[in-house]
């Protein structure tokens, strides 16, 4: 069984209110070295068998169709999950 | 004229939208998200509320519902010069229209991160759409607004394109309630058949139940009704 990991982030020019809230909380907790935060989404898609180049292509297609909205988001990573990566 | 009102799992305002259609003098036809048959309606309203839990992004899963396949097909491409099926998306319906790419841009979480619920002043900036022809050019109205993810965003070239084509249908007045870029409350496709609006005109269609504007405290505002009477006028001559 293989898994594909897909990371989606807001485009830099799109305001990220959740990231802003996280940055505010970090500062209040004393993590003052972190001057900004952006929050994204991680998807894990499972397949029977190995993650081939074809599977990755299909995952990229799924990311472009549904998982990310190209108007506001960038798909920043589509990759096979490393072996033994925690579920 | 028969106006379809779609119910998605999680829709809240389809009953008010259907009531607004009837008060305007149209026949409201209930459409179901899982049915791709539009039952021969002349126009469609995508109501407010939620859809499919708004998981992933608001409207992202609803956009692939069977009913939306038909709506997208009959509405036509957003930049097309030939008018298609009139569609009004209110609040979550606006989000569904953006996710469907029937309208440009997207709706994201309010910049102040709080749900906002208030009577909202708007300026109607485009009255040559199928849904706003009964308003005066630049007319100011007040209708309820209620959203958590109502911030309209798009890149600068898209915003400039919308402004230069006169496709900003309504703009917020008296303070921006949700961080929408350039105070945009509603936009349209090129022909003005498809309109998305974050505020709720269907909640201001009957005296006694709309926003309060009367000096004596009476609820006399029916500012939202003309969205629904406009579409009954038939083909625009503008």
């Amino acid at each position: 069984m293989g898994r594909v990991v897909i990371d989606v982030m807001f485009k830099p020019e799109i305001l990220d209110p959740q990231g802003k809230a996280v940055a505010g909380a970090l500062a209040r907790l004393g993590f003052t070295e972190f001057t900004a935060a952006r929050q994204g989404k991680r998807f894990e898609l499972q397949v029977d068998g190995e993650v081939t180049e074809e599977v990755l292509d299909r995952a990229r297609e799924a990311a472009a169709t549904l998982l990310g909205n190209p108007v506001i988001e960038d798909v920043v990573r589509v990759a096979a999950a490393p072996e033994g990566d925690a579920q | 004229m028969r106006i379809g009102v779609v119910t998605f799992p999680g829709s809240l305002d389809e009953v008010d939208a259907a009531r607004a259609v009837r008060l305007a003098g149209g026949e409201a036809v209930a459409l179901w998200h899982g049915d791709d048959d539009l039952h021969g309606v002349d126009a469609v309203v995508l109501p407010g509320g939620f859809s499919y839990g708004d998981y992933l992004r608001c409207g992202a899963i609803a956009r692939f519902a069977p009913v939306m396949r038909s709506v997208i097909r009959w509405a036509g491409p957003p930049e097309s010069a030939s008018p298609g099926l009139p569609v009004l998306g209110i609040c979550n319906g606006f989000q569904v229209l953006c996710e469907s790419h029937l309208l440009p841009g997207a709706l994201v979480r309010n910049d102040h991160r709080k749900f906002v619920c208030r009577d909202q002043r708007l300026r109607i900036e485009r009255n040559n759409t199928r849904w706003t022809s009964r308003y005066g050019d630049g007319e100011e109205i007040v209708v309820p607004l209620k959203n958590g993810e109502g911030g309209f965003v798009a890149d600068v070239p898209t915003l400039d394109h919308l402004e230069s084509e006169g496709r900003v249908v309504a703009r917020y007045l008296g303070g921006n309630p949700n961080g929408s870029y350039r105070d945009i409350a509603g936009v349209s496709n090129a022909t003005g058949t498809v309109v998305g609006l974050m505020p709720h005109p269907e909640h201001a269609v009957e005296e006694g139940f709309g926003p309060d504007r009367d000096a004596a405290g009476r609820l006399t505002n029916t500012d939202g009704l003309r969205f629904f009477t406009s579409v009954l006028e038939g083909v625009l001559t503008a």
Side-chain angles (χ1 to χ4, degrees), chain B residues 22-136:
Chain B
R22 286 192 299 273
L23 285 170
E27 180 190 346
V29 177
L31 299 178
W32 184 240
H33 67 100
D35 183 1
D36 66 2
D37 186 348
L38 298 184
H39 300 277
V41 296
D42 303 297
V44 169
V45 177
L46 305 178
F50 303 86
S51 53
Y52 295 90
D54 280 341
Y55 296 133
L56 191 60
R57 298 175 303 276
C58 297
I61 299 177
R63 172 251 178 280
F64 294 102
V67 72
M68 285 308 299
R69 283 203 297 267
S70 298
V71 168
I72 290 166
R73 178 162 158 239
W74 292 107
E79 303 298 327
S80 167
S82 59
L85 178 75
V87 183
L88 174 65
I90 304 166
C91 194
N92 189 247
F94 188 11
Q95 295 163 340
V96 173
L97 288 175
C98 287
E99 282 286 341
S100 306
H101 307 304
L102 288 177
L103 291 175
L107 284 311
V108 301
R109 190 171 297 276
N110 298 348
D111 59 349
H112 48 72
R113 304 189 293 269
K114 293 183 287 291
F115 193 91
V116 59
C117 181
R118 71 188 203 195
D119 296 337
Q120 178 66 48
R121 203 150 57 87
L122 303 173
R123 185 171 54 235
I124 303 295
E125 297 202 356
R126 181 178 183 185
N127 66 353
N128 64 338
T129 80
R130 285 297 305 271
W131 299 94
T132 55
S133 56
R134 297 287 294 266
Y135 291 96

Side-chain angles (χ1 to χ4, degrees), chain A residues 2-8 41-46 51 55-56 59-60 63 67 75-82 85-86:
Chain A
R3 272 182 307 130
V4 181
V5 175
I6 298 167
D7 291 334
V8 176
K41 291 179 187 148
R42 172 184 164 118
F43 301 90
E44 297 186 358
L45 307 184
Q46 190 167 306
V51 176
V55 167
L56 287 175
R60 286 185 197 101
L67 304 181
V75 177
V76 294
R77 183 165 75 126
V78 177
D85 195 1

Side-chain angles (χ1 to χ4, degrees), chain A residues 13-74:
Chain A
E13 67 267 29
I14 301 295
L15 183 73
D16 174 13
Q18 292 185 101
K20 237 171 109 182
V22 169
L26 285 173
R28 285 194 297 278
L29 292 168
F31 294 101
T32 48
E33 64 270 50
F34 304 116
T35 54
R38 306 278 290 171
Q39 182 175 325
K41 291 179 187 148
R42 172 184 164 118
F43 301 90
E44 297 186 358
L45 307 184
Q46 190 167 306
V47 289
D48 294 329
E50 298 216 344
V51 176
T52 61
E53 213 26 67
E54 273 173 0
V55 167
L56 287 175
D57 277 343
R58 289 285 288 165
R60 286 185 197 101
E61 197 184 332
T65 307
L66 177 68
L67 304 181
N69 177 349
V71 175
I72 50 171
E73 294 169 321
D74 291 322

